[in-house]
Amino acid sequence: MSTPYPFTAIVGQDDLRLGLLLNAVSPAVGGVLVRGEKGTAKSTAVRALAALMPEVAVVSGCRFSCDPVVPDPACPDGPHEAAAGVSRPARTVELPVGASEDRLVGALDIERALSEGVKAFEPGLLADAHRGILYVDEVNLLHDHLVDLLLDAAAMGASYVEREGVSVRHAARFLLVGTMNPEEGELRPQLLDRFGLTVEVAASRDTDQRVEVVRRRLAYDDDPAGFAGRWAQEEEALRERIAAARVLLPRVVLGDAVLRQIAATCAAFEVDGMRADIVMARTATALAAWAGRDEVTAEDVRQAALLALPHRRRRNPFDAPGLDEDKLDDTLRDAAGDEAGDGNGDDGDEPDPDGPGGGGGGVPPQDSGPDTPERGGDAGPEQGGDAPGPGRPSPSGGEQQPVRASEPFRTKMLSVPGLGEGAAGRRSRARTEHGRTTGARRFEGALTKLHLAATVQAAAPHQRARGRSGRGLVVRRDDLRQATREGREGNLVLFVVDASGSMAARQRMSAVKGAVMSLLLDAYQRRDKVGLVTFRGREAEVVLPPTSSVDAAAARLESLPTGGRTPLAAGLLRAHDVLRVERLRDPSRRPLLVVVTDGRATGGPDPVALAARAGRLHAAEGTASVVVDCESGIVRLGLAAQLARDLGGTAVTLDELRADSIAGLVKDVQAAGRAA
């Protein structure tokens, strides 16, 4: 077993370490979600936490880690006799992003269950994580059906495996720790709410701290055991402090004045439900115990709010997370009144926190964190551009500064025709592991969803030949049938946006950006991947390669300048290149091309014909497409509609995109796809 990086050797990242330590003191806090850029010691810190957790007493031989003092009466390995049990280190179980449902919850031997009537069950990762840590790296990339299973287990403290009338239940109480890079997409609100705390991490920009990070990491890589030995004393001191805080925790007093501050804070930030109040109370209590105090102070409440509320407050998907600290301080003062004064508690020998990044609550001071490479900056969209060609009127007169998008609105759903097999989502029809059952087939590999009627029908004609004599049905592997199900998939929505001079009128471009922002919001809700290609001047540019981060697409769209000629063909060809690469990377995810333009094309010989040929290239490959027609004015040339015909798709105006009159748009897209 490899030697983990010592927790106390992590330099900086005070909020990250504090959030993890509070959960070690009080697992009832409910886990922590670590959000931040890559290379900021997220995974390192989580894996190092396990070495600080107290050992766990378990029933000897129990695969489900039952407590020998209070064993689970429904344990599949039970019932257990009263015994002293054995101690083992707390486990950190990692859930891979690509894990199957059987790997997470466990698997039943369907053949033995049908033929012998026994519950032959192989435990999954939820059983392994019971009374330990369940760590999900890149939790925002986890498939929806696995997220649903995690939600159920976290809510009930148990895992249920149901397979055609045969069920197994076992306890599954664990500390849920997730890490994610927000650039790769956000989490569903239901899963966000299951994390007790959230912390934001970023690489230090201080040169001395970065030097220390590199120095320590190189020393660890050269000699992990020796490096860990040099930090053994600090690790033991921190382990003892966690144990002392756990002993003190039940004696910590949570007064009525403090409870009033907690309730007022949650109400002021308009969080949904009561879970936030409960988590804040538990976090404030853990902060007091961690600082060695037996009473919660207003400063504990403030720090608890900064950890427990940012991911729960109501916000639009494109709003940055976080709390208004001035509003927080005002709320705490108003709720405390004369009793609490200015809301600052006496922490004894503990330092006062310095805002949400100050590492409040008494984290031992460190220098910085490991694994913090320089984050590459985004160059952003190209700022250059050509002036309009001779004789071409343009309102831009050259490049214009970016304009803000108009208010987003609800759009009608655009979908890809046919039946796909892509990642689970909420847009187009697809064969999925979850959904309504549409038939049965012979299975290959692991059986995930048994079609009972088809299995019995396949086995029934062979019972006499197989010598059936008892009540059980004689079932063999060839009889088993996999249920085929139909649900919804997520797609790759690739936006091709005209940023040329013909689009540069400020009011018009604001409306265009508002329409694209609305479609991005729809893509966020339907769990799509998105990409953004723009064209202006002489060429097209991939402003954002396909990603799960709709927030990143929205940010790039806001900063998009306009002006210059209209290389429409270049935009379509660049989109074709992007889709070709994505088909190789993820062949099961079907694309939807959304072209936002007035259809005009300038620059080079016969630009309109060149754009038509580029459109027919997409049509020949069966790419579903929609053209959002941005042409305005009394005289309309209808070029966008012609482009839609070349693409084999459909055209819709900006006004129609938000009106009831496009109720049949999905049918139009599907019909166009079938015709192509």
Side-chain angles (χ1 to χ4, degrees), residues 377-400:
D378 291 315
E382 178 184 282
Q383 298 301 307
D386 297 332
R392 182 179 186 275
S394 170
S396 67
E399 180 177 306
Q400 300 294 308

Side-chain angles (χ1 to χ4, degrees), residues 396-449:
S396 67
E399 180 177 306
Q400 300 294 308
Q401 291 300 315
V403 298
R404 293 188 60 84
S406 62
E407 192 68 22
F409 53 86
R410 184 176 179 84
T411 66
K412 296 293 183 178
M413 185 179 74
L414 311 178
S415 67
V416 179
L419 192 64
E421 295 183 350
R426 301 188 183 95
R427 185 173 295 278
S428 304
R429 293 173 53 229
R431 297 185 185 92
T432 61
E433 291 294 324
H434 297 268
R436 63 185 181 89
T437 300
T438 58
R441 59 177 174 82
R442 290 180 180 272
F443 77 98
E444 297 177 0
L447 180 67
T448 56
K449 293 293 181 183

Side-chain angles (χ1 to χ4, degrees), residues 614-658:
R616 289 193 289 272
L617 185 62
H618 285 280
E621 296 189 353
T623 302
S625 60
V626 175
V627 177
V628 180
D629 185 357
C630 303
E631 191 174 26
S632 60
I634 299 176
V635 179
R636 296 179 181 247
L637 303 178
L639 296 175
Q642 179 57 50
L643 175 63
R645 288 191 289 272
D646 293 329
L647 286 166
T650 189
V652 55
T653 66
L654 285 174
D655 292 336
E656 290 172 336
L657 192 60
R658 62 187 305 163

Side-chain angles (χ1 to χ4, degrees), residues 101 128 172 298 321 354 407 413 438 469 484 590 634 644:
E101 180 179 333
D128 293 341
D354 183 19
E407 192 68 22
M413 185 179 74
T438 58
S469 57
T484 57
R590 297 185 296 162
I634 299 176

